[in-house]
């Protein structure tokens, strides 16, 4: 990697200032002729992997892996410290050290850190040992995750206000504490219940969370006794809390069809409620998260509707629903729908209450795809496995007596296309380490490592060869359809690893995929007329059209950096494949995708990734220090973005 690269200032709306530097142009430059190794040009995954067999991207690991500490609290702290260090390295443009340790100067605190480097990744998936205060010898004090949060927040909180350090430190401490509990529970019972729903099991396996977020498991506001019910990592479950909404204040829309007829959202909700719930005449049942219902009744707008008899609190009812990886989206095995519930908790970078514009967006995307766009899109990747968008086909919520939305009471009804034995998992869950069933040591291993190891064992092929082929199949199965939707329709997807689902066949190879999330659609302004011709009024209530530069920036980060480069980093850091050779394979794939074929318009992403020496990247540490909420304000100012070196060009 380029040893140094600049960072730049946050988007409009940010309240703190990372070190200044030039922002790269988002205009696609012509793709360079990449230096692709001969074995990649031949397209043979086995030859690709064999060329890198035994290579290491980083120095030998000094000492044991702190993530495998038998003490769950120590392992949780090591995971959090690693996240903070990866964030710091990425957001500050720190280059690879010359020796086995990384030195991090901290001028605002008048000290420095010495951090053993266990693995240095070309794509940001570094592994570190225990950091110590300089000079870093065995007698130097260790720096735990909370200490790192204090030190890094002090260095980053330029203009962010006096609460920036306190807020970050509190979230990091909360995340570490919860992660320790999750690890302890999973080490005690790592295996799922026999016969459990495979998709739900995968959703509940994201034990450590986003590896480049400072506090991925922070959920301030959930008390200890509630955690077991509401935490996917603890395989929680709970009955829904139901309100009844008088039709005079009901807000709803539905594009859910059965046998060619639209099913109203209220009827869908009544079906999900089942028998035995007493809904007053002229009212419709509304499902809520129990935590949200408890909090919402104290809001003045909700209290007024309850007092007026326009809203009725029916309490908890029905069989348990189970939280998926997002915490607030819930699933009941066998039900035809999942529910995306409002939940006023701050999780990662936002308070997770549904916004009305997102409800409109989910339904209009479903209508747009049914209006012929879905067929045209599928034709653009008809030579590959099936890929689709999980449809957010209906929603219902509450307006006040003046017709204004009542915040926090909107619920989304999402298709559940997965049967109980469908082996479908989000990429984040696939790559995240977790306690593995049958391992008495409680060691953490990812499903990805298990799949690749199992395939290698059954086929007799080297692990790197299998990993390389798996990655190439993933590009064709999952990445290509996302690029084709952008090229065909000008719709960019926020396809980060948690929003991207991959189906595994009986052997473990990628065999299909889905995108999910009504928040993450970007309609390009350049395609406005064509999209409006398919669905008049599109974007009027959802605010989904954005300038091409914004769509490019989001596509580069979510699909390019978070998803694909993050997957390469997981392969490398878990010693499954050589990162440089996977980057070479990615270059070839992107070069092919950048060439229009059969009248197909190509996405701008391949050209950006192949030709730009720097890329725009979301900075989760700075976003948290700045106190930004990704669901608040204009789309181009909801997060801090920085400029990082592009490993496809500089590696």
């Amino acid at each position: 990697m380029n040893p140094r690269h600049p960072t730049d200032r946050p988007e409009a709306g940010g309240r703190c200032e990372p070190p200044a530097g030039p922002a790269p142009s988002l205009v696609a430059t012509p793709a360079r002729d990449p230096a692709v190794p001969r074995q990649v040009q031949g397209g043979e995954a086995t030859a690709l992997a064999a060329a890198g067999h035994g290579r290491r991207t980083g120095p030998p690991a000094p000492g044991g892996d702190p993530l495998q500490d038998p003490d769950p609290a120590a392992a949780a702290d090591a995971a959090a410290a690693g996240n903070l260090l990866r964030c710091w390295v990425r957001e500050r443009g720190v280059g690879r050290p010359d020796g086995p340790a990384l030195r991090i100067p901290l001028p605002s605190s008048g000290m420095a850190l010495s951090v053993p480097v266990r693995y240095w990744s070309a794509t940001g998936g570094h592994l570190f040992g225990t950091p110590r205060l300089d000079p870093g010898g065995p007698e130097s004090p260790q720096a735990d995750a909370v200490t790192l949060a204090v030190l890094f927040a002090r260095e980053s909180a330029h203009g962010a206000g006096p609460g920036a350090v306190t807020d970050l430190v509190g979230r990091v401490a909360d995340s570490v504490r919860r992660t320790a509990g999750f690890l302890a529970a999973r080490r005690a019972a790592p295996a799922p219940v026999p016969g459990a729903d495979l998709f739900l099991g995968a959703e509940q396996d994201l034990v450590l969370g986003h590896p480049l977020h400072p506090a991925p498991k922070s959920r301030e506001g959930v008390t200890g006794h509630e955690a077991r019910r509401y935490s996917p990592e603890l395989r929680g479950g709970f009955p829904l809390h139901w309100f009844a909404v008088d039709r005079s204040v009901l807000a709803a829309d539905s594009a859910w069809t059965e046998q060619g007829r639209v099913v109203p959202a209220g009827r869908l909700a009544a079906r999900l409620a089942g028998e035995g719930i007493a809904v007053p005449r002229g009212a419709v049942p509304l499902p809520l998260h129990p935590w949200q219902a408890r909090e919402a009744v104290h809001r003045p707008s909700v209290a007024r509707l309850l007092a007026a008899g326009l809203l009725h609190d029916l309490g908890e009812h029905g069989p348990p629903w189970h939280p998926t990886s997002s915490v607030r989206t819930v699933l009941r095995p066998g039900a035809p729908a999942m529910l995306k519930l409002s939940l006023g908790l701050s999780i990662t970078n936002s308070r997770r209450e549904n916004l009305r514009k997102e409800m409109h967006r989910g339904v209009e995307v479903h209508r747009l795809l049914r209006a012929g766009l879905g067929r045209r899109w599928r034709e653009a990747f008809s030579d590959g496995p099936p890929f689709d968008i999980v449809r957010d086909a209906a929603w219902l919520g509450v307006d006040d007596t003046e017709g204004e939305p009542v915040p926090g009471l909107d619920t989304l009804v999402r298709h559940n296309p997965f049967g109980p034995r469908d082996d479908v998992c989000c990429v984040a869950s696939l790559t995240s380490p977790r306690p593995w069933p049958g391992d008495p040591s409680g060691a953490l291993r990812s499903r990805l490592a298990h799949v690749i190891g199992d395939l290698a064992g059954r086929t007799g092929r080297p692990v790197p060869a299998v990993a390389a082929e798996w990655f190439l199949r993933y590009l064709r199965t999952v990445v290509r359809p996302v690029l084709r939707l952008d090229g065909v329709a000008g719709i960019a997807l926020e396809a980060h690893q948690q929003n991207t689902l991959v189906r595994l066949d009986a052997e473990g190879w990628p065999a299909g995929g889905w995108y999910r999330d009504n928040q993450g659609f970007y309609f390009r302004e350049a395609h406005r007329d064509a999209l409006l011709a398919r669905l008049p009024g599109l974007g009027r209530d959802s605010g989904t059209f954005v300038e091409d530069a914004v769509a490019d920036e989001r596509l580069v980060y979510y699909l390019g950096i978070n998803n694909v480069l993050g997957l390469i980093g997981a392969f490398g850091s878990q010693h499954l494949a050589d990162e440089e050779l996977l980057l070479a394979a990615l270059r070839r794939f992107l070069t092919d995708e950048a060439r229009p074929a059969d009248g197909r318009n190509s996405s701008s992403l391949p050209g950006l990734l192949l030709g730009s020496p720097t890329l725009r990247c979301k900075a989760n540490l700075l976003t948290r220090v700045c106190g930004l909420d990704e669901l608040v304000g204009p789309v181009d100012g909801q997060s801090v973005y920085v400029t990082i070196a592009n490993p496809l060009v500089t590696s």
Side-chain angles (χ1 to χ4, degrees), residues 164-398:
V165 174
T166 303
D167 181 70
L168 178 67
V169 172
R171 291 188 185 223
V172 169
D174 183 57
S175 183
V176 172
R177 179 177 61 82
R178 294 182 190 277
T179 302
F182 300 155
L183 286 175
R186 282 304 184 96
R187 282 176 167 171
V193 176
D197 185 285
L198 291 180
F199 172 68
L200 177 60
E203 285 291 293
Q204 296 184 331
D205 276 345
L206 187 55
V207 176
L208 298 183
H210 194 331
L212 277 144
H213 192 281
K217 296 300 177 178
S218 175
R219 292 163 198 169
E220 294 178 346
V222 174
T223 61
H225 75 277
E226 295 172 323
R228 181 157 293 280
R229 297 182 84 203
Y230 303 153
S231 299
E233 304 86 353
L234 299 177
R235 303 191 177 107
F238 49 87
L240 299 175
H241 194 113
W242 293 85
F243 280 10
V245 185
D246 190 88
R247 291 185 181 275
S248 65
V249 292
L250 176 70
D253 192 12
S254 177
W256 186 295
T257 57
E258 295 175 1
Q259 298 179 338
R261 295 184 177 182
V262 173
V263 181
R267 188 180 304 169
L268 290 170
R271 285 186 196 170
L272 295 172
E275 298 179 354
I277 188 168
V279 179
R281 184 181 297 276
V284 168
L286 170 68
L288 295 177
H289 193 287
W291 189 97
Q292 184 77 1
R294 185 193 68 197
E295 191 273 342
V297 295
H298 300 291
R299 299 182 182 186
S301 56
V302 176
R304 285 193 293 269
L305 291 172
L306 287 166
L310 298 174
L311 196 61
H312 306 267
D313 188 345
L314 306 180
E316 293 189 8
H317 170 77
W321 291 67
H322 302 276
T324 60
S325 60
S326 69
V327 182
R328 50 132 167 200
T329 299
V330 297
L331 176 145
R332 192 182 77 211
M338 292 178 266
L339 295 172
K340 187 175 183 181
L341 308 171
S342 285
L343 188 59
L345 295 172
S346 291
I347 300 173
T348 60
N349 291 342
S350 62
R351 193 165 177 260
R352 300 293 172 166
E353 289 192 340
N354 291 326
L355 302 179
R356 190 62 59 83
K357 65 180 180 180
E358 298 164 1
M359 305 293 98
H360 290 297
R361 185 178 301 149
V363 174
E364 71 183 11
V365 167
H366 182 46
R367 288 183 172 130
L368 183 65
L369 291 169
R370 287 195 321 183
L373 180 59
R375 182 176 62 254
R376 185 183 172 208
W377 174 36
R378 285 188 291 272
E379 290 171 352
F381 62 92
S382 58
D383 57 336
F387 189 94
D388 202 354
I389 290 171
V390 179
R391 307 302 176 85
D392 296 329
W395 64 271
L396 61 167
V398 182

Side-chain angles (χ1 to χ4, degrees), residues 84 87-88 91 152-153 156 168 212-214 619-626:
L84 286 159
C87 288
W88 182 266
E91 297 174 24
F152 289 168
S156 305
L168 178 67
L212 277 144
H213 192 281
N620 286 312
L621 176 58
L622 284 170
T623 296
R624 285 279 32 90
V625 171
C626 292

Side-chain angles (χ1 to χ4, degrees), residues 608-631:
L608 287 168
L609 292 178
L610 289 169
S612 300
T614 56
L615 301 173
R616 297 283 282 159
C617 178
K618 188 165 74 170
N620 286 312
L621 176 58
L622 284 170
T623 296
R624 285 279 32 90
V625 171
C626 292
L628 298 180
D629 187 319
E630 291 184 335
L631 302 183

Side-chain angles (χ1 to χ4, degrees), residues 257-559:
T257 57
E258 295 175 1
Q259 298 179 338
R261 295 184 177 182
V262 173
V263 181
R267 188 180 304 169
L268 290 170
R271 285 186 196 170
L272 295 172
E275 298 179 354
I277 188 168
V279 179
R281 184 181 297 276
V284 168
L286 170 68
L288 295 177
H289 193 287
W291 189 97
Q292 184 77 1
R294 185 193 68 197
E295 191 273 342
V297 295
H298 300 291
R299 299 182 182 186
S301 56
V302 176
R304 285 193 293 269
L305 291 172
L306 287 166
L310 298 174
L311 196 61
H312 306 267
D313 188 345
L314 306 180
E316 293 189 8
H317 170 77
W321 291 67
H322 302 276
T324 60
S325 60
S326 69
V327 182
R328 50 132 167 200
T329 299
V330 297
L331 176 145
R332 192 182 77 211
M338 292 178 266
L339 295 172
K340 187 175 183 181
L341 308 171
S342 285
L343 188 59
L345 295 172
S346 291
I347 300 173
T348 60
N349 291 342
S350 62
R351 193 165 177 260
R352 300 293 172 166
E353 289 192 340
N354 291 326
L355 302 179
R356 190 62 59 83
K357 65 180 180 180
E358 298 164 1
M359 305 293 98
H360 290 297
R361 185 178 301 149
V363 174
E364 71 183 11
V365 167
H366 182 46
R367 288 183 172 130
L368 183 65
L369 291 169
R370 287 195 321 183
L373 180 59
R375 182 176 62 254
R376 185 183 172 208
W377 174 36
R378 285 188 291 272
E379 290 171 352
F381 62 92
S382 58
D383 57 336
F387 189 94
D388 202 354
I389 290 171
V390 179
R391 307 302 176 85
D392 296 329
W395 64 271
L396 61 167
V398 182
D399 287 344
D400 62 21
T401 54
E402 303 298 322
E404 293 298 317
V406 177
L409 298 185
D410 286 336
T411 292
L412 181 85
V413 184
R414 171 176 288 173
H415 281 167
N416 179 14
F418 310 122
R421 309 316 296 165
D422 287 339
D423 194 357
V424 176
C425 55
C426 69
V427 181
S429 174
L430 186 71
T431 59
S432 179
R434 62 182 174 89
W436 197 258
D439 188 336
S441 71
L444 275 62
R445 193 157 66 113
S446 74
R447 174 85 192 281
L448 179 67
H450 174 78
V451 165
I452 299 301
D454 188 55
L455 281 167
R458 285 192 285 107
T459 61
R461 298 167 59 196
V463 165
V466 172
E469 182 175 344
W470 198 101
F471 178 68
L472 291 169
R473 291 195 190 195
Y474 178 81
L475 293 177
R476 293 192 293 267
T477 301
V478 174
V479 178
R480 177 176 288 162
V482 178
L483 294 176
R484 297 287 171 89
L485 182 62
D486 185 38
V488 165
I491 298 177
L493 301 180
E494 204 169 274
H496 58 66
Q497 288 195 358
Q498 196 166 326
N499 281 350
T500 304
L501 308 175
V502 57
R503 179 195 293 276
L504 303 180
D505 67 16
E507 295 184 331
W509 298 108
W514 287 265
Y515 170 78
R516 64 174 173 197
D517 191 23
N518 58 337
Q519 294 174 358
F521 294 96
Y522 300 90
F523 299 163
R524 292 181 181 271
E525 279 288 349
H527 289 252
R528 178 186 284 270
D529 291 345
L531 289 170
L532 286 174
R534 288 189 177 275
L535 189 65
L538 180 70
R540 180 181 58 237
D541 298 317
S542 66
T544 310
F545 282 99
V546 299
E547 296 296 331
D548 279 20
V550 174
D552 283 341
E553 182 178 73
R554 298 312 192 251
L555 200 58
V556 163
Y557 170 69
Y558 287 111
L559 180 61

Side-chain angles (χ1 to χ4, degrees), residues 111-114 130-144 147:
M111 59 182 69
L113 291 169
S114 179
T130 302
R132 294 179 180 272
L133 299 177
D134 235 11
E139 303 302 319
S140 300
Q142 295 184 5
D144 61 13
T147 301

